[in-house]
Amino acid sequence: MFNFLLRKDVRKILKRKDSDAGERGRALEDLRGSLFNEFRSPEGAKRQQHRTCGPAAALAFNFVVAISIIFMNKMVLQTVKFKFPILLSLIHYVVSWLLMAILNAFSLLPASPSSKSTNLSALFTLGFVMSLSTGLANVSLKYNSIGFYQMAKIAVTPSIVMAEFVLYRKRVSWPKTLALTVVSIGVAVATVTDLQFHFFGACVALAWIVPSAVNKILWSRLQQQENWTALALMWKTTPITLIFLAAMLPCLDPPGVLSFDWNFSNTLVILTSAILGFLLQLSGALALGATSAVSHVVLGQFKTCIILLGNYYLFGSNPGIISICGAFTAIVGMSVYTCLNLKQQTAKIFPHQTTLLPKSKLNKENGNSHNGHYSAENV
């Protein structure tokens, strides 16, 4: 559609009379400038990302990829017997960096904001917590069951709420807090029958919670308030993540990587996992940029319930009536949370309907920060 409109504009300019050559030249220059602003400026790239991948599309994309990579990584670590979770994360990010380098070589990578607009320490911190979040998640999957892995995610929600309050004075309204509590209790009940874990794996899962929360907060905040796009932010932070993953490699991975059977089928499975890792990072960044850190965690818990109910209805597995009731309870809580977010969005789109409320109450409900930026929680 955009290419059609572009060709139409060019034809209009070229059809002008020769006497208007100067005006035609200025029109072409203006068109070239508008195209540069649309594709090569950070603001234009951000608008393009919002138009091509809205909240619903980003969440659906992340939903499909995240389910796929959980089972793929479990296959790599247990079926293929690749017992090196940190190396697996390192391979994921190397493949991601190579794919982005190809995009950059063809000038397809979105522009980054200027270094003056973003604190370099924020990019460094994001790269660091990304290495911890991804690496420790794979170590947890190696030693624990998927149910215990999902159970650990429950603690990420209060961690995000607490961190955003401490760092940015962002508040979550009481109705949303109650809805999130119902979601957490429902997921806990739904996964209580699959809690196989190793002591070391449990310690790793606990250590993973804080980096995962900070990772989601930074991804959401940098995109929503500093004009970063998902790919541009990935391009800047991936080298930092690779350095820290390489440093973690001798500490958390067992020896013997050279003795692994690198045959064609095993290598193909690992590379498939790496490509899914790139898509997971991209889809997660898009979802966090379009919604919020808390909403992204709620989506992850929704995936847990869908997997459990899907196995029950489609494949005849019987997790027990308690787990099924827990999954339905969590879905009810997620529905209420989504409705509250949609109501908040409507209030922002039609602000004249909320002017009767006191200003302090509006600020508290929407979670506005003191510096005047809009709230990140706007699913």
Side-chain angles (χ1 to χ4, degrees), residues 162-297:
M162 185 178 299
E164 288 187 325
F165 175 76
V166 172
L167 297 175
Y168 308 118
R169 292 292 179 243
K170 178 180 175 181
R171 290 178 170 86
V172 178
S173 64
W174 277 110
K176 286 186 179 181
T177 302
L178 292 175
L180 291 173
T181 303
V182 171
V183 171
S184 300
I185 293 174
V187 173
V189 173
T191 56
V192 73
T193 57
D194 183 25
L195 294 182
Q196 303 173 15
F197 64 94
H198 187 277
F199 176 75
F200 176 72
C203 294
V204 169
L206 292 175
W208 164 81
I209 292 170
V210 173
S212 178
V214 176
N215 181 40
K216 294 178 186 298
I217 292 171
L218 288 177
W219 270 107
S220 181
R221 193 168 183 84
L222 286 173
Q223 288 187 83
Q224 293 191 3
Q225 299 190 4
E226 300 191 21
N227 281 329
W228 283 92
T229 59
L231 279 173
L233 200 51
M234 288 168 61
W235 175 246
K236 290 292 185 181
T237 55
T238 296
I240 302 172
T241 303
L242 287 172
I243 292 172
F244 282 104
L245 282 173
M248 293 166 60
L249 199 60
C251 302
L252 293 175
D253 269 2
V257 63
L258 296 179
S259 61
F260 178 74
D261 185 12
W262 292 93
N263 57 44
F264 177 77
S265 60
N266 289 348
T267 304
L268 182 62
V269 171
I270 293 172
L271 287 178
T272 303
S273 172
I275 293 173
L276 285 174
F278 168 72
L279 294 177
L280 177 67
Q281 188 184 4
L282 176 60
S283 64
L286 290 171
L288 285 165
T291 59
S292 70
V294 174
S295 298
H296 190 252
V297 174

Side-chain angles (χ1 to χ4, degrees), residues 100-123:
M100 288 185 289
I102 294 172
L103 293 176
N104 189 50
F106 287 95
S107 299
L108 297 176
L109 208 63
S112 303
S114 63
S115 57
K116 295 180 180 180
S117 63
T118 302
N119 193 346
L120 293 180
S121 63
L123 297 178

Side-chain angles (χ1 to χ4, degrees), residues 38-59:
E38 190 66 25
F39 292 104
R40 298 305 303 160
S41 69
E43 294 80 6
K46 185 68 180 296
R47 287 193 297 270
Q48 283 292 109
Q49 176 175 301
H50 279 208
R51 281 197 293 262
T52 56
C53 193
L59 291 172

